[in-house]
Amino acid sequence: MRLRELHCPVALLPEGWAENVLVKFDEQGWIRSVRTGVEAWGGAQASGPVLPGMPNVHSHAFQRAIAGRTQRVGPGEDDFWTWRQAMYAFARRMTPEAVEATAAQLYVDLLKSGYTAVGEFHYLHHQPDGTPYDDPAELSRRIVSAAREAGIGLTHLPVLYACGGFGGAPPSEGQRRFLSDVDGIGRILAAIAKDAADDPQLRVGLAPHSLRAVTPEMLRDALAALDALDPTAPVHIHVAEQTQEVADCLAWSGKRPVAWLLDAMPVSERWCLIHATHMTPAETAALAASGATAGLCPTTEADLGDGLFPAPDFLAEGGRFGIGSDSHTRISPSDELRMLEYGQRLTRQRRNVLRREGFASIGLGLYAAALEGGAQALGRPLGRIAPGRRADLVVLDADHPLLYGKRGDDVVDTFVFSGGPGLVRDVIVGGRHVIRDGRHEREDAIAAQLRRAVERITRAG
Ligand code: NGQ
Ligand code: ZN
């Protein structure tokens, strides 16, 4: 259902909390006006505090299908690289139908947890043996159609993946479905950009997978191809997630991955460096100064044993970040933000570590930072209840016992540290009321379609 306005008893505006806020939308889903101190008179009324919806900057939708399937002990020690083998083995089994069904269910679950837009870092392009589908953009189109079915905003990021390691090392068997050259990825980009032209819910960008997966020449050519299409489109890349990757990059180039990228590439506001876990203080300061965002995925980074992002230094340098759920072991913006702070508390033996100037609360400071950084990373006007931004809103459940008697910053701290997705009651994306009273109108059909797809791929073994 499309709304034209929403009256909010309390809303988080760019300037802070405001009461009796009337937000008006146009039919394309843009916020037209925001007025405060307006009494409700019978139009659509939010049942609780209203926050800007959270952008999710990093998703591999198909990996939701492996949630709970990678926690078994292996023959030797388990690490990121043994997880990756298990992930590759499962990725082989994904049919186009399974990709779409998994993504549609995932996107409904993202909405229910308070995410209203997602950056899909999409590298499953081809058939299991590496042959392109008849339509080379087949699986990208499946992602777009899943996002449309769920009603979530999408920044589609087709991945350029060509090598198996630094210095143009050959790819492995398990990477066949991901491989393309610059022209191939350009064709997928152009196909999806056509769909995005008249859809304010959709944007495209480019994702060179990592410095392991592309050569510097390819990276330059791909950026040139992207610029020809859209010189402001987002660029996302995995970087410095594992210490092995740092060591390999040093052996190849004499530089650490983040330093290499900042020196060799025009890293700017349009870039989002995913993970950037392992940085020296100089790299941390330089990344912050570049204006690029760090795409932090704390629950996945914990699950994969990556290490801790140097968040206190990065924030002190004015660094910008967005959050992502990456492998989707957990789906919850509050989990990502809480883990970001708790990682620091556990190692420093202190409380309230990630403080930000102008914010009295940790939860709100981090939530607000992730809104701004997330909007920047996804290249869409999100993250603020303000005219000209997308009407992407989350209504918390004022009837939830955790929120009794709470006001202002305590509401967001309760969401981030205690309530999580259970506090999300209604979600509006681009003016469409996609989650009502905790339910998505198509959730039964979407779950049924997933069940069928899972049964088929499980049977096919
Ligand atoms: C991915 N995931 O592309 O899904 C990666 C693993 C890799 C994370 N880095 C594969 N969390 O980096 O080679
Ligand atoms: Zn990733």
Side-chain angles (χ1 to χ4, degrees), residues 58 60 238 274-275 326:
H58 193 65
H60 306 292
H238 291 123
I274 306 299
H275 308 304
D326 193 345

Side-chain angles (χ1 to χ4, degrees), residues 57 235-238 268-274 292-295 322 377:
V57 305
V235 180
H236 288 217
I237 185 168
H238 291 123
S268 64
E269 283 82 359
R270 77 193 281 212
W271 287 65
C272 180
L273 274 59
I274 306 299
T293 49

